Amino acid sequence: RGRGRPAPAARRAQPIFYSHGGPSCAFLIAAGGTAGHINPALAIAGALKAADPTAEIHFAGRREGMEYGLVTKAGYPFHHIEINGFQRHLSLENIGRNIVAIWHLALSGPRTRKILNEVKPDLVIGCGGYVSGPIVRAAARRGIKTAIHEQNAFPGVTNKLLAKEVNIVLAA
């Protein structure tokens, strides 16, 4: 070991970066829809907690979705946002679903602002699924550091749309 260089265990205990108010950082992770989005988000949360045990990690998603059960079971605070995905197959039923999706998207702004004001995140991470769209976009427009994580070989629609607005794109 070099002089003055801390041992590896001591280096690992250091926070990833410092937030505005002190050594603890706040992270908001938005993910939903399928376990393919939620499980990587939980893995990221676990890695952040391992790197900085004082980090505050919050999740945003739908109460009706799979994310609510998995995230709350893991013990993380959960913030509900009502949002639906767009159906790409054209049918009468899907036209009705898409009207509801547009309505929820239009109403997502105030809820997104409320979540960002409550959590005050230093970094917002979108792990895919339609729920990450409004959260990550609003954070980027506020100047909050943002990242998206793509765990598939071909990026999803939401991550494609967000890629130009975020600070960093992470690929698995």
Side-chain angles (χ1 to χ4, degrees), residues 85-90 93-103:
F86 287 96
Q87 304 300 314
R88 290 178 245 168
H89 174 66
L90 190 60
E93 183 181 0
N94 285 346
I95 290 171
R97 287 180 178 170
N98 286 343
I99 290 169
V100 172
I102 290 168
W103 177 253

Side-chain angles (χ1 to χ4, degrees), residues 76-112:
Y76 295 106
F78 186 86
H79 303 271
H80 172 71
I81 182 165
E82 190 60 49
I83 194 93
N84 298 78
F86 287 96
Q87 304 300 314
R88 290 178 245 168
H89 174 66
L90 190 60
S91 73
L92 196 54
E93 183 181 0
N94 285 346
I95 290 171
R97 287 180 178 170
N98 286 343
I99 290 169
V100 172
I102 290 168
W103 177 253
H104 285 157
L105 184 61
L107 297 178
S108 68
R111 181 65 186 141
T112 297

Side-chain angles (χ1 to χ4, degrees), residues 34-102:
T34 68
H37 297 297
I38 302 156
N39 287 331
L42 288 169
I44 290 169
L48 291 170
K49 264 300 193 196
D52 181 3
T54 65
E56 288 182 42
I57 299 170
H58 295 253
F59 277 81
R62 295 182 66 230
R63 250 186 247 116
E64 299 82 9
M66 182 185 292
E67 57 268 32
Y68 180 74
L70 292 172
V71 168
T72 56
K73 185 177 179 182
Y76 295 106
F78 186 86
H79 303 271
H80 172 71
I81 182 165
E82 190 60 49
I83 194 93
N84 298 78
F86 287 96
Q87 304 300 314
R88 290 178 245 168
H89 174 66
L90 190 60
S91 73
L92 196 54
E93 183 181 0
N94 285 346
I95 290 171
R97 287 180 178 170
N98 286 343
I99 290 169
V100 172
I102 290 168

